[in-house]
Amino acid sequence: MKKLNKYIGVCLLAIALSSCHKDLDLKPTNDVTADVAYKDFKGYTSSFARLYGSLTLTSTSGPNNSDLGGLDAGTSDFLRLFWNAQELTTDEAACAWLNDPGISGLDYLDFDDSNPMLRGLYTRCVYSATLVNEFLRESTDAKLAERGISDADKKEIAYYRAEARFLRAYNYWVLLDLFGNPPFVTEETSVGKVSPPQIKRAELFAYIEKELLEVAVQLKGAKQNVYGRVDQVAAWGLLARLYLNAEVYLGAGNKKYTEAITFAEKVLNSGYSLGTNYRELFYADNDVNNPEFIFYLPYDGTKTQSKGGTTYLINAAIDATMHPTSFGVPGGGWAGNRTRDNIATIFGDYSGATDKRAMFHLNTSVKIEDIAVYKQGLAVTKFRNVNKDGKTAPPAAEGFVASVDFPLIRLAEMNLIYAEATLRGGSGGSLAKALDYVNKLRVRAYGNNSGNLTNLSLDDILNERVKELYWEGFRRSDLIRYGKFTGDNYLWPFKGGVLAGQAVAGYRTLFPLPASDIIANSNLVQNPGYN
């Protein structure tokens, strides 16, 4: 059982307390008054746990329920929604389930403001930010004094508050990247029936930047927190990502590549290190001796059950002909997601014989000519619910199997951010060091220096990001930053809804705000192109 998930159950997150099993039946805080929910340190711990839990579970009341109204529970967890938005809209993934609401709009890059997948992701992020706001209001110095919290517990709650602010900043980063101009509330916002104001993208960028810079000095030091909770390195990593994409968020000419280099290098020098075996990063025991994951979603087949998370990534990527037991799947797989042939072309040899990062299974064909036929396209075998010794992680029930933790920030991304920001002209970066950082990834992938590059271009780095980070939720953002997501200078099968691919209007670099929220909140103005 994973160290973190000894606590997670209904309480959602382990804080590594020896008595945690006694506290698993705590009620969600929105079902009780604040004075009851936060009456003691145990209550604060439970409420804090729920902030992390909102990213890993569909609901506090079990896998068949959802915190989000109007969305099937199985599709309402954060990772499944985020992954679909970031991957199905690109050349990295396609889903055969065209009859599922919202899937075809993502597959064909012709989504609208009623897409339930996008509405779910937007709502999940707003909901998670709202939970943080409540926690921060209830954990002020005045509230802690009023409730008689001890000085020792106040010190730990101060770390809770810093982590809560990081989690809120991450959720707002998702909204910044995907939706641009969302509604915006903090703990300072009045609680009541007043509709939240809309924040513009540039203002939201500034807010996230400020929050991350502030909490980076308040979070625990590098590798000083318990498994599953973030430290200051996570804040540095998200800042590096934020700065790398500054021209997308703020407009051309608003370059922050120097800052991206600075914070990527802070992460690279923080004490985290690359794992020795790439494939083992995505096995069920990837919580053990993993020096690379900085911010991640912890899953356990017996404690964090849902049909989202890595349960979704594993099951949807295989079918009954692919020996499901070798993936730690007791059923036959769901036969949904696979990759489009552009990715096979980028890898060249997709068998994994040279570059060990290439983890694919050839079904009927590499090419997809009918997106509804799962057998067309390469199946991705990157995530497996087995330990590195080959033994299956114990599932609680068929369909709720995954114990594979999912990385949201890992060290290898920082190697690539440093290299790209340097090539884009950031000050303080070294081209020789950038090349070395990329080649460190390739040495791990090839097992030796036979795959090393002797020079770097921006296209080299984009291709290296595919090979290192595929199916980890980066591709949409990467293609946008490189100017290849819309338009016709880069096409992939069924981009724009046709087999050969076709140009897509530039406004689709932002998703629409959900029509239901536009109707409910008169402060919101829809993103251009969706009216």
Side-chain angles (χ1 to χ4, degrees), residues 49 126 333 351 361 530:
V126 172
S351 70
H361 172 83
Y530 297 103

Side-chain angles (χ1 to χ4, degrees), residues 1-2 6 17 26 63 100 128 132 148 206 220 237 268 270 349 431 530:
M1 185 184 293
K2 293 177 179 286
K6 291 179 181 178
L17 302 175
L26 293 171
D100 283 16
S128 294
V132 171
K220 292 186 178 182
L268 290 163
S270 68
D349 177 7
L431 288 174
Y530 297 103

Side-chain angles (χ1 to χ4, degrees), residues 453-503:
L453 302 175
T454 56
N455 53 63
L456 279 178
S457 69
L458 283 173
D459 281 343
D460 288 332
I461 294 172
L462 180 61
N463 287 340
E464 199 64 29
R465 287 183 69 90
V466 167
K467 295 176 181 180
E468 181 68 28
L469 302 172
Y470 70 101
W471 274 39
E472 292 182 49
F474 289 95
R475 188 57 169 170
R476 173 192 156 275
S477 301
D478 288 350
L479 289 177
I480 290 171
R481 190 173 63 257
Y482 273 78
K484 295 186 175 185
F485 186 66
T486 59
D488 61 2
N489 65 330
Y490 180 63
L491 301 177
W492 57 84
F494 293 100
K495 177 180 179 179
V498 301
L499 174 58
Q502 64 180 355

